């Protein structure tokens, strides 16, 4: 254990430190961006953190960028989580990461250098697990620690996973449990020790490499995908439903959750994103059958959360089986129905 | 003009805020990095900010990353300079940038949102000048403004410019004047107004796209290249000489400089890098014919500095002519001689 508890060195941790998406969109609408080149298959749009550039008919490049302040106390674990989180954007689009560059802001005056070593070692280990290369980066002397990666990878242009391909009858699969928002909020407020939330830390440190577990047949059964991060299951489900022109029906009782989540929500360990995600999805999600507490599970912002895979019904069980060895909580959580008034229905 | 003078909002601007390279190398030597994959043609090494990954025999991907705190007061100009500086790493390796993602840390509580709009507009304009795409990014709420880009581009794997290809008899060409270190230090200490250093600001905002001015014949005459940034002409020349196993002979009187440089150096507008660059090159550079003041010109850290091109003698004048329309100060500054005791000789 490091003597410095990293979460106590920052005011806002993880995704809570992001500039709110709605605010950013409003600001950036005033910038005159030129039309994107036609090689851009996925445009990062208004400062989204992932884009795809077509190199030729068989190869496209994925580029992503993500960084944040510490959400756990142990430097090596922070490095692992930040790396897994950054790599996730490539996996979520069906790509394989190849190179990663570090973004490091470090308080040289107040933090021992060993913290850098540990953060980097954690990141390097996870980048290796992803069979990618840690190829360098840029560091800056700053008041608070921040770390993340810009990752590039490759994907076949005809096999890009987007959030626009969901079809009526498809099945929804979530690869990781929900709850990292409230759990890391409890850690930051010192209501729990890092040792007591090892399951959440392990999950956040895990790379979202589902690809390597899929046969060609299973690959063909994936119609859409997204990773669950700051907008929570509610926000990312809503985005996917709207992009695909369908409604997602999610069974609350099927959702994988970390065991401590409900307790921490009950005790009020909330982030700004719990509220903003509720507001963001207010008009588009029917969760009338849930208690206010249950609703917070859906709005819980995830750091390095799981993939939401939208798959052909006949392949759903095979996909769950294929992933179980690596993603212990992987679950079928609902299905896709024809578009209704609400983009997301909870039952 | 913005009402906020950006340079007054940060303690350390531009490259001065970087973690010192020697310090970082010492720290990172304690991290156990795995061996890089064989596809890595240029490894970012110990946190260097540029790497090259070979895709196939005809295509390699260049990835770079750079960001810093404001070095000028006007937000749009800061955005332009930060973008040109980040794109430069791709050009310096003979590559063409294709996609750029923004790295934005922004003090929402203390700075008006219009600053974001202006920084982004400046960056977007320069990215367009480079025929690249601004494809997104990541933003964070932070105490001080920081901005930069992670850029990816492409280069033919057989036509990568490195700092290892200089040959005896080659000629040295520098594309931009020296002096941005002392000049921006003077601006930060309010000894000069932004309007009075327009030449330096224009130069820092200019993309290092030399490629588009070269015929195939001229392209074939380029043996090595590097961009002049934080280590100054002294540090980057030394690195190139050592990597190529030669000595660079630089004629001091031929160096392009901004007219105010000597005055600002005389008045003591120095950065930490003036000293660290002197120390870095102490044993490897013979500048005994220079005054201490002249030596500072060589050590002046550049932000978005020029390219140092090492070219075949017979093509040198043609290359200078080809670049003159775009790079008004482009100059032949010396030549390459067989390796001697010192990596760099000044006469």
């Amino acid at each position: 254990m490091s003597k410095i508890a990293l979460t106590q060195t920052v005011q806002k941790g993880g995704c809570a430190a992001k500039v709110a998406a709605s605010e950013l969109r409003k600001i950036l609408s005033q910038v005159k961006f030129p039309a994107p080149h036609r090689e851009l298959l996925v445009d990062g749009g208004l400062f989204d953190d992932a884009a795809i550039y077509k190199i030729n008919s068989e190869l496209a490049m994925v580029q992503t960028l993500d960084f944040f302040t510490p959400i756990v106390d142990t430097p090596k674990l922070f490095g692992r989580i930040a790396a897994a989180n950054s790599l996730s954007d490539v996996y979520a689009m069906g790509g394989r990461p190849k190179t990663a560059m570090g973004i490091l802001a470090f308080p040289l005056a107040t933090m021992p250098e060993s913290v850098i070593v540990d953060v980097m070692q954690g990141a390097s280990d996870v980048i290796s697990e992803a069979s990618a290369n840690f190829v360098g980066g840029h560091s800056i002397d700053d008041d608070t620690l921040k770390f993340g990666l810009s990752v590039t990878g490759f994907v076949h242009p005809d096999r890009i996973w987007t959030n626009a391909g969901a079809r009526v009858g498809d099945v929804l699969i979530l690869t990781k449990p929900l709850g990292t928002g409230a759990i890391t909020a409890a850690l930051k407020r010192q209501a729990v020790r890092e040792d007591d939330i090892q399951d959440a830390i392990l999950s956040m440190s895990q790379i979202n490499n589902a690809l390597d577990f899929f046969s060609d047949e299973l690959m063909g059964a994936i119609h859409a995908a997204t990773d669950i991060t700051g907008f929570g299951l509610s926000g990312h489900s809503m985005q996917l439903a709207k992009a695909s022109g369908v409604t997602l029906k999610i069974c609350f009782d099927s959702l994988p959750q970390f065991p401590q989540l409900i307790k921490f929500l009950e005790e009020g360990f909330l982030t700004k994103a719990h509220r903003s995600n509720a507001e963001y999805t207010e008009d588009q999600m029917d969760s009338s059958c849930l208690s206010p507490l249950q609703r917070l599970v859906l709005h819980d912002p995830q750091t390095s959360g799981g993939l939401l895979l939208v798959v052909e019904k006949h392949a759903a069980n095979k996909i769950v089986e294929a992933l179980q060895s690596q993603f212990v909580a992987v679950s079928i959580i609902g299905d896709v129905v024809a578009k209704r008034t609400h983009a997301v229905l909870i039952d």
Side-chain angles (χ1 to χ4, degrees), chain A:
Chain A
M1 279 287 285
S2 156
K3 281 168 208 156
I4 287 190
L6 292 185
T7 60
Q8 301 309 306
T9 67
V10 288
Q11 290 210 309
K12 287 168 274 191
C15 294
K18 275 176 90 158
V19 177
S22 57
E23 199 166 341
L24 196 62
R25 268 161 219 275
K26 197 188 73 196
I27 296 169
L28 292 182
S29 67
Q30 300 169 60
V31 182
K32 286 180 200 74
F33 293 108
H37 297 187
R38 65 188 162 77
E39 293 92 346
L40 273 183
L41 304 182
V42 175
D43 182 359
L46 291 171
F47 233 55
D48 287 341
D49 55 9
I52 299 186
Y53 181 91
K54 185 174 179 174
I55 296 171
N56 57 42
S57 61
E58 295 189 342
L59 197 67
M61 178 189 74
V62 188
Q63 185 185 11
T64 79
L65 192 148
D66 215 339
F67 63 98
F68 48 56
T69 50
I71 52 157
V72 292
D73 289 327
T74 303
K76 194 168 175 184
L77 296 176
F78 173 52
R80 288 186 62 87
I81 292 170
N85 182 65
S86 297
L87 292 160
S88 186
D89 288 320
V90 178
Y91 286 124
M93 296 195 287
R96 284 191 165 81
K98 289 298 174 193
T99 63
M101 294 202 124
I103 298 160
L104 174 68
F106 193 79
L108 283 169
T110 58
M111 216 175 256
E113 290 170 358
S114 64
V115 172
I116 297 184
V117 176
D118 291 345
V119 169
M120 291 292 171
Q121 189 66 62
S124 175
D125 292 348
V126 168
I127 292 166
S128 292
E129 286 167 28
S131 300
N133 294 277
F134 199 174
V135 296
H138 187 83
S139 57
I140 193 166
D141 188 5
D142 198 14
D143 292 335
T144 55
L145 176 61
K146 285 145 220 135
F147 182 71
L149 300 176
S150 180
V151 182
T152 57
F154 298 102
V155 61
H156 192 291
D158 300 334
R159 287 176 220 140
I160 296 168
W161 294 349
T162 75
N163 62 2
R167 302 175 204 171
V168 173
D170 282 349
V171 167
L172 308 176
I173 294 173
L174 181 63
T175 63
K176 292 184 183 180
L178 299 171
T180 68
I183 290 170
T184 56
L187 178 68
K188 171 143 185 62
R189 288 190 242 156
Q190 301 184 292
V192 67
R193 293 178 317 145
E194 208 175 62
D195 284 346
D196 300 326
I197 59 164
Q198 284 301 322
D199 51 352
I201 289 175
L202 208 64
S203 176
M204 289 188 284
S205 307
Q206 188 184 352
I207 56 171
N208 267 328
N209 179 7
L211 282 181
D212 281 347
F213 299 90
F214 294 156
S215 60
D216 284 350
E217 184 207 339
L218 294 186
M219 276 296 285
I222 314 278
H223 292 165
T226 190
D227 57 343
I228 307 301
T229 58
F231 294 125
L233 182 64
S234 58
H236 291 286
S237 296
M238 181 186 83
Q239 290 174 344
L240 190 146
K242 288 170 81 173
S244 298
V246 298
T247 284
L248 303 194
K249 218 170 73 184
I250 292 174
C251 173
F252 185 82
D253 293 335
S254 302
L255 293 178
Q257 302 174 30
F258 293 109
Q260 298 141 309
L261 173 60
I262 288 286
K263 173 174 155 284
F264 287 140
L265 289 173
E266 242 167 1
E267 291 170 1
F269 292 108
L270 300 180
T271 67
K272 206 169 62 173
H274 283 94
R275 194 176 65 193
S276 62
N277 290 344
E279 287 167 3
Y280 180 45
T281 55
E282 200 166 29
D283 299 334
Q284 297 285 337
M285 184 167 77
D286 178 356
S287 57
S288 51
C289 66
L290 299 185
S291 70
L293 195 64
Q294 288 174 318
R295 244 169 246 145
L296 288 175
V297 173
L298 299 170
H299 299 317
D300 191 76
Q302 305 303 292
T303 295
S304 194
L307 296 179
L308 178 64
L309 300 170
V310 186
V311 310
E312 264 177 45
K313 190 175 182 179
H314 74 83
N317 285 324
K318 280 187 202 163
I319 286 173
V320 168
E321 279 163 33
L323 293 177
Q324 256 160 353
S325 66
Q326 194 66 14
F327 298 91
V328 291
V330 60
S331 306
I332 292 176
I333 65 162
D335 53 9
V336 180
V337 298
K339 189 179 173 183
R340 305 196 189 168
T341 316
H342 294 96
V344 182
L345 292 179
I346 312 294
D347 64 9

